[in-house]
Amino acid sequence: MQRYRAALDTVGGCAAAAIAGLALIVPVDTGCATDSSALQMTLLSVTVPRATAAGVIVAVLAAVCVRMFGTRTAWGTATVATLILVVDHLVVTTSASLATANFVDSIAAGVLLGAAGAATLEYRPPAIGYLLGGLIGVTVGDHIETVAAAKGTQSLLERAFVDMPPDWITAPTMGLLAVCFTLSPRTGLSSYSTALNLPFAPVLAAAVVVTTIDVVSERFTTATSGTAVIVAGTLAVLAAAVIAALLLPERDGTLTLLAVALAATGSAIAIAAQAHWKLAPILTVMALGLAAGLRRQAPVVAAAAIVALGVFALLAPGTRHNDSWTALIGSCAVAALAGYSFGAATPRGTAGTVLAIGLLFIPTAVLTLEYRGCEAFPLHPNQAVGSGDRAAWMAIALGAGCLAAVIALRHLRPERVEQD
């Protein structure tokens, strides 16, 4: 029975993280592909990244608080959050309410991401399912929306995912999480007996790095950014990442640094594989990368590889906006590095993992150097305002800074040896 419950928790954690990712990366609608007025489009282009940022912070807060009440409460909270997502998508029928629905969707998705993390990240098989689900949510959500906007038409697969996350996936996931809640054993409170004893440092870390990335991204979209502004923004994001890493206990901040560098480098490449069959090799190498990271942990190597990928984006800028085999190789490299990073530097604490996954959903400052206004999101690659090599250089700078920070953190906080 224990084995079956572990398998069920693994599937449930994977589905919950994927659903939360789909809701966070594209909360209901950006407004850019609708018949909304210019005012609504501008409003949504501002509220989408802010809603996503709020959802990520809520995810870390939920992971910290829900964990105090045990696994059963975590599954119950995740079930309720999924129900809110389903109801929100059924109730919202007009574009006039999309701005509000974006925040409702993102907050519910944040609670789902954090609660599912609290329920699964304490045990290895469910934790692997949770990590894989979060990475799948990022990859699939970005691919479906990008291809649909680039083509101007929707295939059967794109219509099935027209409303992220689609109800035909969210509703069964809610039922699955309810089963996980029912079968989960009753446990007492954790060692954090009161709210005053809760480790709120991860929440502060999330607030620092998420808010900084969001503010810098907005600054880059308001006007043409000069070199001085880009350098200042790069230093601000890097400083926020380092502060967040130091606020997290022990070496848990390593994955946060890798996530910041990975998100920046992935945004610089900004590859949109037009053919849906290319999702198969991308997801496959991502899973293989995760398995390799769990088997052999070398976060410094992962950070160095991310910098190398930034150099690839600088030397091969043409691959960012085409559908060649070179672009597919770049996409696979990003996916493999994402999987390896999350396997090689998994934090001991739940909140650190949730924060790192959440950082992949936030529109980065590197991405907004490639796209302006509604094009600040990877929805309209054909209408993008190119930034030359500035995005690639910023990604390389962030990657190199995060690499140095990872090495420094390893020297500052030696690995603790567990006593038998």
Side-chain angles (χ1 to χ4, degrees):
M1 182 63 183
Q2 189 74 18
R3 181 182 302 176
Y4 292 117
R5 189 167 67 238
L8 185 65
D9 289 350
T10 301
V11 177
C14 181
I19 291 297
L22 291 176
L24 282 172
I25 197 169
V26 189
V28 182
D29 195 349
T30 62
C32 297
T34 68
D35 296 327
S36 305
S37 65
L39 176 61
Q40 282 183 322
M41 291 171 63
T42 302
L43 175 63
L44 291 175
S45 68
V46 172
T47 59
V48 166
R50 292 181 182 178
T52 302
V56 173
I57 296 175
V58 168
V60 178
L61 180 62
V64 170
C65 295
V66 173
R67 183 174 176 270
M68 179 177 68
F69 298 97
T71 304
R72 184 178 176 85
T73 301
W75 284 122
T77 304
T79 304
V80 174
T82 311
L83 174 62
I84 294 175
L85 284 174
V86 173
V87 173
D88 188 41
H89 282 242
L90 292 177
V91 170
V92 177
T93 57
T94 63
S95 60
S97 56
L98 285 178
T100 301
N102 282 331
F103 277 93
V104 175
D105 231 31
S106 293
I107 296 302
V111 174
L112 174 60
L113 186 67
T120 60
L121 289 173
E122 295 296 321
Y123 314 97
R124 188 173 179 85
I128 295 174
Y130 178 84
L131 292 174
L132 188 61
L135 294 174
I136 288 175
V138 174
T139 304
V140 174
D142 181 55
H143 171 84
I144 295 296
E145 289 296 329
T146 301
V147 173
K151 291 180 178 178
T153 58
Q154 291 184 338
S155 66
L156 180 62
L157 178 62
E158 292 150 14
R159 288 196 299 269
F161 285 86
V162 68
D163 189 16
M164 293 285 198
D167 292 332
W168 62 271
I169 293 180
T170 308
T173 299
M174 180 182 64
L176 177 61
L177 296 180
V179 173
C180 292
F181 164 74
T182 303
L183 298 180
S184 180
R186 296 180 181 274
T187 57
L189 294 179
S190 70
S191 57
Y192 311 115
S193 55
T194 66
L196 294 178
N197 294 327
L198 283 173
F200 281 110
V203 181
L204 178 59
V208 169
V209 67
V210 170
T211 302
T212 302
I213 292 175
D214 187 52
V215 169
V216 172
S217 299
E218 286 191 13
R219 175 62 184 87
F220 284 1
T221 60
T222 55
T224 302
S225 302
T227 303
V229 175
I230 295 175
V231 171
T234 302
L235 293 176
V237 172
L238 182 59
V242 172
I243 292 173
L246 293 175
L247 285 172
L248 294 171
E250 299 182 11
R251 294 183 178 180
D252 284 8
T254 299
L255 186 58
T256 297
L257 292 169
L258 291 178
V260 170
L262 185 66
T265 303
S267 298
I269 293 177
I271 297 171
Q274 300 292 321
H276 292 310
W277 67 265
K278 293 183 179 179
L279 265 180
I282 291 174
L283 295 177
T284 299
V285 297
M286 184 179 66
L288 292 176
L290 178 60
L294 292 170
R295 183 180 181 86
R296 184 177 180 83
Q297 299 183 344
V300 175
V301 174
I306 293 173
V307 176
L309 195 59
V311 175
F312 168 80
L314 178 65
L315 298 179
T319 64
R320 294 200 296 267
H321 304 297
N322 62 28
D323 198 33
S324 64
W325 284 101
T326 306
L328 178 60
I329 293 173
S331 296
C332 289
V334 172
L337 271 179
Y340 183 83
S341 298
F342 277 83
T346 304
R348 295 174 184 264
T350 299
T353 304
V354 173
L355 171 58
I357 291 180
L359 290 175
L360 300 181
F361 305 131
I362 303 174
T364 66
V366 175
L367 184 64
T368 55
L369 283 177
E370 286 286 337
Y371 302 91
R372 304 284 183 185
C374 275
E375 290 77 31
F377 307 95
L379 295 176
H380 299 272
N382 294 332
Q383 301 175 14
V385 178
S387 63
D389 296 329
R390 295 185 301 172
W393 278 115
M394 183 176 182
I396 294 173
L398 283 175
C402 289
L403 170 60
V406 168
I407 296 174
L409 187 64
R410 291 174 67 85
H411 288 284
L412 181 64
R413 297 175 177 175
E415 188 174 8
R416 185 178 64 182
V417 178
E418 297 291 345
Q419 298 294 333
D420 294 331

